[in-house]
Amino acid sequence: MHYRLSADPILPHYIAVEARLTDITTNTIELQLPAWRPGRYELQNFAKNIQQFYITDASGHPLAFRKITKDRWLVHTEGVTELIATYTYYANLINAGSSYVSDDTDVSPLLYVNPVNLCLYAEGYIDKPCTLKLDIPADWTVACGLSQTGLHAFSARDFYELVDCPLIAAPALHRIQYETHGVAFSVWIAGRMVFDPERVVRDFKRFSAAQIDIFGEFPEPEYHFLTILLPVAHYHGVEHRNSTVLVLGPADEGEGLYTDLLGIASHELFHAWNIIRIRPQELLPYDFTRENYFQTCFVAEGVTTYYGDHILRRSEVFNEAAYLKELHVILKRHFENNGRAFQSLLESSWDLWLDGYDKGVPDRKVSVYHKGAIAAMILDLHIRQTSGQTRSLDDVMRLLWQRFGKPFVGYTFADYRAITEEVAGEPLDWYYDACISGNKSLLSLTDTYLRYIGLSVSYTEAHGLILDKLHP
């Protein structure tokens, strides 16, 4: 498939898409627009944002087609070897998983594209190479992890790579660069530049190096932090193959905004291993047409949430007070909101596709992010304590990388459990019964393990969640 994107010349906030399919050898072709995007496990039905939709042959003659599902089209090719789908996609929302086009906002002129939102693919061609061309002014800057083949022209090995490489394009983007362990990193900023570049390089280099040290290598030769700063409150990030999109605000928040940048950037970078490569078996390959149910989102998101802040402390980007503040937030959000929830982490991982991103009914589900992070912390502290600090959760993640991530074969829940028990050197029935498949409160267990590092946690209805340092 060959894609051409531009701002629609007539319709504000619409992206004009041309998708050209070549080398057709069949009498019919089915075209599919993804129903969801990796990193958010719910159906988002991007087809609802398409306004106009046409299909012609290479000469512009209409081809017969009809919709056969909400986001799938059957095309009668009538012997042609090439077809062109042209359509307009409404792009008037800015978050870390959306697309946006405008020439009248505090962060623009701006073209921001998550290709998974608006690039359809042809059944049977998803593994074929793709190209992407942007019809934008020649002097605009484009930030993207795709291979560049010309002026605002890019290529991807297949559709999976294409849709895992978002882009931002604007007349001017701020770029901060650094290198560690032979990997080139770029922090791109769209919007008003409010960060000290030297500080960004120092802090980002520290946590990037600390994460690479855990795994021994980085999956990609380069990595891009695509950051959009908004004038309003916002906090959202999404992981990708060799990049992440970070949307933050308000831009004038000062030190609080920088702390948010560090926290979300560290979290998303850890995903470069954990979920992008160390991926549950059920998600290999992604099926963009329907739900992809899996039980281990507490590993994908919970472990990552734990490491995001933990790495910032280990690399001395956060001091003790800053780290304890973030830990308190995680504990508070779980125990005050979902501490008595009926579902286990396994059940809530599965039900992400049902209501995982909604508030839901009281005391039903838990957050795979918050409870998952607490469960990861308990496991890490247990392994450290019983091994005399000779092993940790780092060893678990390293083995997952070596056995499943680097060869890029999916792991199962049983695989994860086996590796944790291998590293712990003992059965972990108690841990999986209490923390992963159980629904009883983890408050007492959390307090027991926090005391190992000189902390205590308590919760009462009157005073809420309290995290204290123990006196020597």
Side-chain angles (χ1 to χ4, degrees), residues 47-48 50 53 65-74:
K48 66 189 176 186
I50 291 179
F53 191 87
F65 69 92
R66 62 184 175 89
K67 253 190 175 183
I68 55 175
T69 74
K70 64 186 185 305
D71 44 28
R72 194 175 185 92
W73 294 261
L74 174 67

Side-chain angles (χ1 to χ4, degrees), residues 359-429:
K359 185 177 180 180
V361 301
D363 297 331
R364 176 178 179 271
K365 64 185 177 182
V366 294
S367 167
V368 294
Y369 295 81
H370 305 143
K371 187 177 181 180
I374 294 168
M377 180 182 68
I378 290 171
L379 179 60
D380 189 24
L381 292 175
H382 176 77
I383 295 172
R384 290 176 182 273
Q385 184 178 23
T386 57
S387 70
Q389 291 287 351
T390 62
R391 296 187 302 277
S392 70
L393 193 57
D394 290 4
D395 297 281
V396 172
M397 299 310 299
R398 192 176 302 114
L399 287 177
L400 281 170
W401 166 249
Q402 293 169 354
R403 297 177 186 176
F404 298 96
K406 191 172 183 177
F408 201 40
V409 294
Y411 72 91
T412 65
F413 172 55
D415 293 325
Y416 177 73
R417 177 166 180 164
I419 287 180
T420 60
E421 293 182 332
E422 177 183 340
V423 172
E426 63 181 13
L428 292 174
D429 294 358

